[in-house]
Amino acid sequence: MAQKQENLSKNQKIVLDYIEKANQPLKAYSILFNVQKKGLKAPPQVYRALDKLIEMGKIHKIESRNSYIACQNSSCQLEKATAFSICESCDKVTEISNHSLSKYLSNIKDKNGMKFNRYNLEFFGLCKKCKV
Amino acid sequence: MAQKQENLSKNQKIVLDYIEKANQPLKAYSILFNVQKKGLKAPPQVYRALDKLIEMGKIHKIESRNSYIACQNSSCQLEKATAFSICESCDKVTEISNHSLSKYLSNIKDKNGMKFNRYNLEFFGLCKKCKV
DNA sequence: ATAATAGTGTTATAGTATAACATTGTCATA
DNA sequence: TATGACAATGTTATACTATAACACTATTAT
Ligand SMILES: [Zn+2]
Ligand SMILES: [Zn+2]
Ligand SMILES: [Zn+2]
Ligand SMILES: [Zn+2]
């Protein structure tokens, strides 16, 4: 059975806490380095926690950056439908919460008869601060 | 100045030829292994060619798979707007060519004042064959 | 109790990508 | 034609990202 969100394991809590405090995407090895004082000493411990947190929708992976960010969207349907804006200058990442966009994408039908059950969308550009 | 698409360099031609023949996403090190007989002996030679071919829009990177596929879409606007369907069972990848989708996404305005100049969209699911 | 499942700890290794530097090719123009 | 600017190449080493494999412990359900 899928684990309930309230029941995070020890390592999962440690990793999630650290990611949530960051408010920006973090690399796995930077997480590892920073949670070593809490007892997570080796990569598999971090990657396992990351995998479970992703399954639960508590964090998302920014694929183009190999980094991990806390879900910023309380209505996020687990990991089924994710969209982000990424600044190519300062690397700021924001989770996009746009109902009409997610509705549009969730209703897309594939021409080749494929059944979609998940998507990930990444927009790239310059944030307000970096546009100047 | 940006190189014209007709003027591929030697290594770029070798790498593109191999990717185009594959009709499926390829990993960088599998490309490297297969073009060693043509003289590309080290990773940087392959990665440089890949980078340039991506810039030119001749190939795209499937971010969630760390793999590279030839552009299947003659009207692809370089690397500005890419969309793919990915079968989670057999790994088949198809470039999506859907005018209304690309129009919709290109017109999305960011709530935080970010100026988008590129996006990448990856749909995941089961292809026709794997759905059974 | 027993078994099933999930989580942990650990070592080693696989897989992906870039830094750095020396060299060569191409082409415009001084 | 030579000089400079830029693109591409060749090469070695290294950095970064992620998983395999195995032994062990904790939790829960029957
Ligand atoms: Zn989310
Ligand atoms: Zn920025
Ligand atoms: Zn394309
Ligand atoms: Zn399939």
Side-chain angles (χ1 to χ4, degrees):
Chain A
M1 182 166 49
Q3 186 173 27
K4 287 210 228 94
Q5 296 199 355
E6 303 78 41
N7 282 337
L8 297 180
S9 77
K10 183 190 124 225
N11 289 358
Q12 290 159 15
K13 270 196 203 87
I14 291 170
V15 169
L16 180 58
D17 274 1
Y18 184 66
I19 297 179
E20 282 181 336
K21 274 175 197 139
N23 262 325
Q24 61 175 311
L26 297 175
K27 302 279 191 163
Y29 272 71
S30 124
I31 296 169
L32 173 59
F33 180 81
N34 280 279
V35 297
Q36 275 177 337
K37 54 181 89 76
K38 307 236 172 178
L40 284 82
K41 291 182 186 137
Q45 296 173 290
V46 169
Y47 280 104
R48 284 173 192 147
L50 291 173
D51 289 346
K52 290 295 180 184
L53 292 168
I54 289 170
E55 272 180 33
M56 296 176 210
K58 301 292 248 178
I59 66 171
H60 304 297
K61 180 173 184 186
I62 309 298
E63 294 286 358
S64 61
R65 300 287 212 239
N66 298 318
S67 60
Y68 304 85
I69 192 169
C71 180
Q72 299 164 18
N73 179 353
S74 59
S75 67
C76 190
Q77 335 163 22
L78 301 182
E79 88 270 41
K80 300 265 179 229
T82 48
F84 304 93
S85 68
I86 303 169
C87 177
E88 291 180 299
S89 169
C90 72
D91 289 322
K92 182 177 165 56
V93 170
T94 304
E95 186 166 358
I96 294 175
S97 169
N98 178 326
H99 184 67
S100 74
L101 170 62
S102 59
K103 192 173 169 188
Y104 183 87
L105 291 176
S106 300
N107 287 324
I108 291 270
K109 290 281 175 281
D110 185 54
K111 283 177 184 165
N112 302 312
M114 204 167 143
K115 165 96 178 74
F116 294 148
N117 49 39
R118 182 164 79 82
Y119 68 78
N120 180 54
L121 172 58
E122 298 181 1
F123 284 103
F124 303 87
L126 292 176
C127 77
K128 218 168 181 173
K129 272 170 65 181
C130 294
K131 242 185 337 194
V132 189
Chain B
M1 183 166 47
Q3 186 173 30
K4 287 208 227 96
Q5 295 198 357
E6 304 77 44
N7 282 337
L8 297 180
S9 78
K10 183 189 123 229
N11 288 359
Q12 290 160 14
K13 270 196 202 87
I14 291 169
V15 170
L16 180 58
D17 274 0
Y18 184 66
I19 297 179
E20 283 182 336
K21 274 174 198 140
N23 263 325
Q24 61 174 312
L26 297 175
K27 302 280 192 163
Y29 273 71
S30 123
I31 295 169
L32 173 59
F33 180 81
N34 280 279
V35 298
Q36 275 178 339
K37 54 181 90 77
K38 307 234 172 179
L40 284 84
K41 290 182 188 138
Q45 296 174 290
V46 168
Y47 280 105
R48 284 174 191 145
L50 290 174
D51 289 346
K52 291 295 179 183
L53 292 168
I54 289 170
E55 273 181 33
M56 295 176 212
K58 303 291 249 181
I59 65 171
H60 304 297
K61 180 173 184 184
I62 309 299
E63 294 286 358
S64 62
R65 301 288 211 241
N66 299 317
S67 59
Y68 304 85
I69 192 169
C71 179
Q72 300 165 16
N73 178 353
S74 59
S75 67
C76 190
Q77 336 162 22
L78 300 182
E79 88 271 40
K80 299 267 179 227
T82 48
F84 303 93
S85 69
I86 302 169
C87 177
E88 289 180 301
S89 169
C90 71
D91 289 321
K92 182 176 167 56
V93 171
T94 305
E95 187 165 358
I96 295 175
S97 169
N98 179 326
H99 184 66
S100 74
L101 171 62
S102 59
K103 193 172 168 187
Y104 182 88
L105 291 176
S106 300
N107 287 325
I108 291 269
K109 291 280 175 282
D110 185 53
K111 283 176 185 168
N112 302 312
M114 204 168 142
K115 164 96 178 75
F116 294 148
N117 49 40
R118 183 163 80 81
Y119 68 77
N120 180 55
L121 172 57
E122 297 181 1
F123 283 102
F124 303 86
L126 292 177
C127 76
K128 217 169 183 173
K129 271 171 64 182
C130 294
K131 241 185 337 194
V132 189

